[in-house]
């Protein structure tokens, strides 16, 4: 029997890599998407060394055509996904009065509307298999946006993402897809309460629990 497939979109050295490792540990084949091939190879190496499957794919996740294309390639190469994780975002400290609309739009594509593109690309295969889980990485600034003045675009993205998940999860559930978000309530830092590997356990729990939950707020406990 072929092991299930998880697609992790937006794989950096922190949360994305940790989520990939956690799902590989749980018996998943993992397809990882980011822009840098060398960096993806380095993240895939320990999974491969432990006997898991980790396939790297390069794509610009702010480009809708690139997102649709890379999801289609992964499905063609590895079959239907059971899990899709969207972890793409950027930390940009441009003050709100200086934000260029084009730059703001790119951040929205990267952090939110690209996720919708990925879901639409993966959903037919997920539904054909009877079920699927889609998890989006949220941020604590969505819970307290008044503290997000240093990163206004990211605050807007994470606030919109949280709203989208809560508003949309019933409609996705009606189609057999579990939509949820892990809201990370502080900055990620290895060796702290917000260590990426601890956060990855929240993603695993949100996928694995029998009673679906829309949001897991990871507060370091």
């Amino acid at each position: 029997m072929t092991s299930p497939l998880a697609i992790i979109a937006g794989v950096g050295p922190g949360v994305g890599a940790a989520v990939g490792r956690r799902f590989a540990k749980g018996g998943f084949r993992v397809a990882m998407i980011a822009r840098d091939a060398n960096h993806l190879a380095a993240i895939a190496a320990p999974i491969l060394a432990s006997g898991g499957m980790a396939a790297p794919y390069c794509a610009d996740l702010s480009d809708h055509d690139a997102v649709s294309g890379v999801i289609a390639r992964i499905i063609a190469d590895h079959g239907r996904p059971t899990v899709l994780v969207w972890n793409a975002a950027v930390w940009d400290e441009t003050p709100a009065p200086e934000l260029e609309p084009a730059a703001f739009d790119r951040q929205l594509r990267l952090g939110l509307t690209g996720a919708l593109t990925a879901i639409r690309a993966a959903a037919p295969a997920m539904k054909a298999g009877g079920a699927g889980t889609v998890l989006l990485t949220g941020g604590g600034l969505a819970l307290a946006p008044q503290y997000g003045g240093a990163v206004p675009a990211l605050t807007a993205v994470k606030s919109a993402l949280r709203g989208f998940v809560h508003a949309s999860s019933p409609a996705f559930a009606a189609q057999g897809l579990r939509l949820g978000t892990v809201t990370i309530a502080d900055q990620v830092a290895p060796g702290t309460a917000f260590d990426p590997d601890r956060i990855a356990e929240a993603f695993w729990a949100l996928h694995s629990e029998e009673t679906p939950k829309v949001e897991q707020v990871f507060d370091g406990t």
Side-chain angles (χ1 to χ4, degrees):
M1 180 178 177
T2 303
S3 57
L5 174 68
I7 299 174
I8 317 295
V11 176
V15 171
V19 171
R21 290 193 298 269
R22 182 61 185 88
F23 276 85
K25 178 182 175 183
F28 276 74
R29 296 170 295 140
V30 179
M32 304 183 299
I33 310 170
R35 295 185 70 172
D36 188 314
N38 291 331
H39 139 119
L40 278 175
I43 292 171
I47 297 174
L48 296 169
S50 66
M53 192 289 280
Y57 288 83
C58 293
D60 178 355
L61 295 176
S62 69
D63 181 320
H64 292 300
D65 289 339
V67 170
S68 296
V70 74
I71 297 294
R73 289 199 306 276
I74 291 169
I75 292 172
D77 290 346
H78 303 289
R80 79 171 190 91
T82 300
V83 172
L84 170 66
V85 176
W86 188 268
N87 183 59
V90 63
W91 184 276
D92 178 6
E93 297 187 6
T94 303
E98 299 174 17
L99 273 173
E100 293 289 342
F104 190 23
D105 182 60
R106 181 181 182 277
Q107 290 205 47
L108 286 168
R109 294 196 311 272
L110 183 64
L112 179 61
T113 56
L116 180 59
T117 300
I119 294 167
R120 288 173 60 86
M126 285 181 160
K127 289 186 287 187
T133 299
V134 178
L135 301 177
L136 311 183
T137 301
L141 291 173
L143 305 174
Q146 66 271 28
Y147 298 115
V151 283
L154 180 63
T155 300
V157 167
K158 295 302 184 183
S159 298
L161 182 149
R162 185 170 186 263
F164 174 79
V165 171
H166 279 277
S168 307
S169 59
F172 281 101
Q175 297 185 3
L177 300 180
R178 179 183 296 192
L179 177 66
T181 181
V182 176
T183 299
I184 304 168
D186 207 335
Q187 291 193 32
V188 178
T192 71
F194 288 84
D195 186 276
D197 288 322
R198 298 190 75 231
I199 295 167
E201 291 294 340
F203 282 84
W204 179 257
L206 200 57
H207 162 66
S208 302
E209 60 191 7
E210 292 186 8
T211 303
K213 185 162 60 175
V214 174
E215 182 176 22
Q216 174 70 48
V217 176
F218 184 84
D219 61 3
T221 60

